[in-house]
Amino acid sequence: EPEVTQTPSHQVTQMGQEVILRCVPISNHLYFYWYRQILGQKVEFLVSFYNNEISEKSEIFDDQFSVERPDGSNFTLKIRSTKLEDSAMYFCASSVNLASGGSTVNTGELFFGEGSRLTVL
Amino acid sequence: LAKTTQPISMDSYEGQEVNITCSHNNIATNDYITWYQQFPSQGPRFIIQGYKTKVTNEVASLFIPADRKSSTLSLPRVSLSDTAVYYCLVGAGAAGNKLTFGGGTRVLVKP
């Protein structure tokens, strides 16, 4: 079964450093997302991405954050100048199949990766 | 976005049916109801989605009354491995729209 993969599984960084979290969405998916979950708290939406641009973002996704799809497979989240409160689990997700003939199949299901745990010291 | 309310936690025993009810009083006409499951330190996993009436798949059933102001996820014959947090989400079915996760219901299945 195809899956969303994320790297690294765990990253420890110093406050003020830049971090890049990487995701490989399911290959024929068109929409990509980043969510985060601070330990013990709920899953929070950060951003959605489609057709090489951000389609929606939350208040959390400020200028410190950026996303990019640098090639045909990777989807990255960059956090500039990390802060202690950025420590969280970051989940990538993808959705919407591109079916043969160019049609799209939207089941409403988001496929999440296993997450990247970011610890900022 | 429609806000959801669901119990914080529920306990059950192996082999029992677990029903989790979610309230979403201000659900919009084009909103779908989706349930996700999350194990510790893992990403949420889609369980089921519906718009109205009843939807059933291989793992769960979703009951939605006519007014759509609530929904009930039913897990038949739970096992220990069903211990997880279950989230009820309400939002437009269009792709790209953000899904807002609430606090979820922590289900503990006991032997």
Side-chain angles (χ1 to χ4, degrees):
Chain A
E1 185 178 319
E3 59 181 19
V4 175
T5 57
Q6 293 185 239
T7 54
S9 56
H10 189 192
Q11 180 156 356
V12 181
T13 190
Q14 295 291 323
M15 190 170 56
Q17 295 296 303
E18 177 181 283
V19 163
I20 297 177
L21 304 178
R22 291 182 168 79
C23 169
V24 179
I26 293 174
S27 63
N28 61 341
H29 280 186
L30 300 175
Y31 287 83
F32 316 113
Y33 312 79
W34 283 101
Y35 284 77
R36 79 172 185 189
Q37 186 173 32
I38 296 170
L39 186 63
Q41 298 187 24
K42 58 187 180 183
V43 178
E44 301 175 293
F45 171 83
L46 293 179
V47 66
S48 60
F49 191 86
Y50 170 72
N51 199 26
N52 286 317
E53 60 182 24
I54 291 173
S55 57
E56 195 165 2
K57 61 182 181 179
S58 71
E59 297 168 349
I60 302 169
F61 194 88
D62 59 21
D63 292 344
Q64 181 196 9
F65 295 90
S66 63
V67 290
E68 192 178 30
R69 188 155 163 82
D71 52 42
S73 60
N74 290 285
F75 179 51
T76 62
L77 174 69
K78 182 188 291 184
I79 309 173
R80 285 182 282 274
S81 189
T82 50
K83 299 177 282 197
L84 296 177
E85 54 265 38
D86 294 327
S87 294
M89 196 77 155
Y90 287 82
F91 294 108
C92 173
S94 68
S95 71
V96 185
N97 291 327
L98 176 62
S100 58
S103 63
T104 58
V105 179
N106 179 17
T107 64
E109 177 177 356
L110 262 62
F111 292 78
F112 285 83
E114 291 298 294
S116 293
R117 181 174 299 285
L118 176 64
T119 302
V120 182
L121 303 176
Chain B
L1 291 172
K3 180 177 162 55
T4 60
T5 303
Q6 51 184 124
I8 293 173
S9 64
M10 297 179 72
D11 288 357
S12 183
Y13 291 91
E14 279 191 292
Q16 288 190 334
E17 178 181 83
V18 171
N19 295 304
I20 309 170
T21 297
C22 177
S23 298
H24 28 79
N25 290 316
N26 58 341
I27 187 169
T29 304
N30 61 343
D31 283 343
Y32 285 74
I33 301 156
T34 312
W35 286 80
Y36 282 80
Q37 173 193 56
Q38 187 181 29
F39 298 114
S41 298
Q42 292 188 26
R45 188 173 69 96
F46 174 92
I47 301 175
I48 197 165
Q49 184 185 70
Y51 185 79
K52 61 181 179 180
T53 63
K54 177 183 174 182
V55 180
T56 298
N57 61 22
E58 63 274 11
V59 298
S61 294
L62 178 60
F63 300 91
I64 306 170
D67 66 4
R68 302 197 332 119
K69 292 183 184 300
S70 67
S71 59
T72 298
L73 175 72
S74 180
L75 305 172
R77 297 180 299 280
V78 293
S79 63
L80 297 178
S81 61
D82 292 317
T83 293
V85 179
Y86 292 83
Y87 296 97
C88 164
L89 287 80
V90 172
N97 288 356
K98 64 180 181 182
L99 289 181
T100 300
F101 285 77
T105 298
R106 192 171 299 275
V107 172
L108 174 62
V109 180
K110 302 175 183 177

